[in-house]
Amino acid sequence: MKLSPRDANAYFARPDASKTGLLIYGGDAMRVALKRQEFLKSLLGVNAEEEMRLTRMQAADLRRDPAMLLDAIKAVGFFPGPRAAFVEDANDNIAQILIDSLADWLPGDAQIVVSAGDLKKTSKVLKAFEAHKTAFAAAIYDNPPDRAEIERLLSEARLTPEPDAMAALTDLARALDPGDFRQTIEKITLYKLNDAGPLSSEDVVACAPTSTEAEVDDILHVVAEARAGDIGPVMSKLQGQGVNAVTLTIMAIRHFRTLYRIAANPGAPIYGVRDRDRATRQAKSWGAAKLEMALGVLTDTDLTLRSAGQHAPALALVERAFIRLAMLGAQR
């Protein structure tokens, strides 16, 4: 059966130990790994490996020894509790092995958990899990954690966020890689270890990483300071370094949201920027109204980059948006 993103998140948090198996797949290996870890922890508990209730195997090893998976599924454990056989980096080279194992699975056997990369709709592995009555297939998309997932992470850490802190974490989730965001949550958890009070935006500020490396900071400041003539050379440098267009747009959105927060509420905390005084000057120069317009331009650019029918050079679209913003910022 195919799980929607919403249903998948709910199932990862509360899996059914009586089901046959789960396929987790997607183009972002980090996101797939984090979801797989979340699912196995929810399914088996924290001591599964020590109690030998989890068997791990690589797809390449399984291809050389097809009996590995069925042996792991049927093995009787020494410790009570649910069991799982986990296959990593699956592809259609082991599709028949997985199909046979799903067919041979019986209640009481170890659950079959499989992770894979970005599978095509025609993938035999994907079709096997989607067609199975008691197994699931869940696609992991390259989207930042939504509010529900952030709230779950905070709940696990026993943290109660204030509204401003939740807004700050939502911005960080869009700007950071999923692994970096998890590390930030862990850092916040340690920071609040002996503090029973709610999580504040100041706490997030204290633990948030600085925005980016200096080169990306450069283009953000060039745009925010309306220096349109400098955009081309800096963008050429970023292109040579292999900076991703979507990532660059997200970082710009984050920067301009920070400026808007400063302009709309001068007393608000400033996080995620290296030079707070400079950001304050930029926010004052733009004003809240023009910053709203800038965020609209950046959001439209982000949506265009992610749309299926977009074929124009991605960095060229971003550069055009940046020039448009710089010209907007220069208006008085």
Side-chain angles (χ1 to χ4, degrees):
M1 292 183 285
K2 183 178 180 179
L3 290 175
S4 68
R6 181 178 179 181
D7 291 340
N9 285 330
Y11 186 68
F12 294 156
R14 294 186 178 180
D16 186 345
S18 69
K19 298 300 182 182
T20 303
L22 171 69
L23 166 67
I24 304 175
Y25 69 99
D28 190 317
M30 175 61 76
R31 284 181 166 85
V32 171
L34 289 172
K35 290 298 184 182
R36 178 255 299 167
Q37 291 171 4
E38 176 188 336
F39 175 77
L40 289 175
K41 180 180 178 182
S42 299
L43 176 67
L44 305 177
V46 295
N47 298 318
E49 295 204 64
E50 293 86 342
E51 296 175 355
M52 297 179 287
R53 292 185 289 110
L54 174 62
T55 303
R56 297 175 181 268
M57 62 195 77
Q58 291 286 331
D61 296 332
L62 181 58
R63 189 181 182 188
R64 288 191 291 268
D65 184 4
M68 285 177 61
L69 180 56
L70 193 58
D71 289 344
I73 294 169
K74 300 295 183 181
V76 178
F78 292 104
F79 293 87
R83 296 176 296 113
F86 169 53
V87 181
E88 192 168 9
D89 295 330
N91 53 48
D92 278 3
N93 290 330
I94 61 166
Q96 194 57 49
I97 299 172
L98 293 173
I99 292 169
D100 293 342
S101 298
L102 289 170
D104 291 338
W105 188 92
L106 295 173
D109 290 345
Q111 191 162 143
I112 304 169
V113 181
V114 178
S115 71
D118 194 9
L119 300 176
K120 296 180 179 180
K121 293 182 179 180
T122 56
S123 166
K124 295 178 181 178
V125 173
L126 179 57
K127 286 184 174 181
F129 278 85
E130 287 185 337
H132 201 282
K133 293 182 179 180
T134 57
F136 299 100
I140 307 301
Y141 299 102
D142 296 347
N143 297 324
D146 58 17
R147 185 181 181 89
E149 187 168 358
I150 295 172
E151 289 176 343
R152 181 185 62 77
L153 291 172
L154 293 175
S155 177
E156 289 178 355
R158 299 182 180 180
L159 295 172
T160 304
E162 295 177 347
D164 286 348
M166 196 65 197
L169 287 170
T170 301
D171 283 348
L172 282 177
R174 281 184 56 83
L176 300 177
D177 289 335
D180 291 338
F181 183 70
R182 293 264 184 152
Q183 289 180 353
T184 301
I185 295 293
E186 292 173 4
K187 184 177 178 181
I188 292 172
T189 303
L190 292 173
Y191 182 81
K192 296 283 288 182
L193 186 59
N194 296 315
D195 183 353
L199 178 67
S200 67
S201 56
E202 288 81 5
D203 297 327
V204 177
V205 170
C207 299
T210 53
S211 117
T212 62
E213 294 185 3
E215 290 81 3
V216 179
D217 278 345
D218 285 345
I219 191 63
L220 298 180
H221 290 309
V222 164
V223 175
E225 292 167 1
R227 291 187 277 131
D230 295 335
I231 291 175
V234 179
M235 286 294 293
S236 296
K237 185 177 180 181
L238 290 172
Q239 184 174 11
Q241 294 174 346
V243 174
N244 181 275
V246 172
T247 300
L248 191 57
T249 306
I250 290 174
M251 300 307 290
I253 290 172
R254 179 187 173 193
H255 185 76
F256 274 81
R257 279 181 176 170
T258 300
L259 298 185
Y260 178 77
R261 190 176 295 114
I262 298 169
N265 182 8
I270 305 171
Y271 64 90
V273 293
R274 296 177 187 270
D275 190 335
R276 298 186 182 189
D277 291 338
R278 192 174 187 181
T280 302
R281 291 194 299 271
Q282 292 170 2
K284 184 177 180 180
S285 174
W286 278 77
K290 282 201 296 183
L291 286 168
E292 280 191 38
M293 297 171 63
L295 286 169
V297 171
L298 289 169
T299 301
D300 289 344
T301 303
D302 186 36
L303 292 173
T304 300
L305 291 171
R306 297 171 186 268
S307 65
Q310 200 288 114
H311 300 295
L315 282 174
L317 287 174
V318 174
E319 183 173 350
R320 184 175 66 182
F322 283 174
I323 292 172
R324 184 179 170 189
L325 290 181
M327 294 175 67
L328 175 63
Q331 295 176 4
R332 292 291 181 267

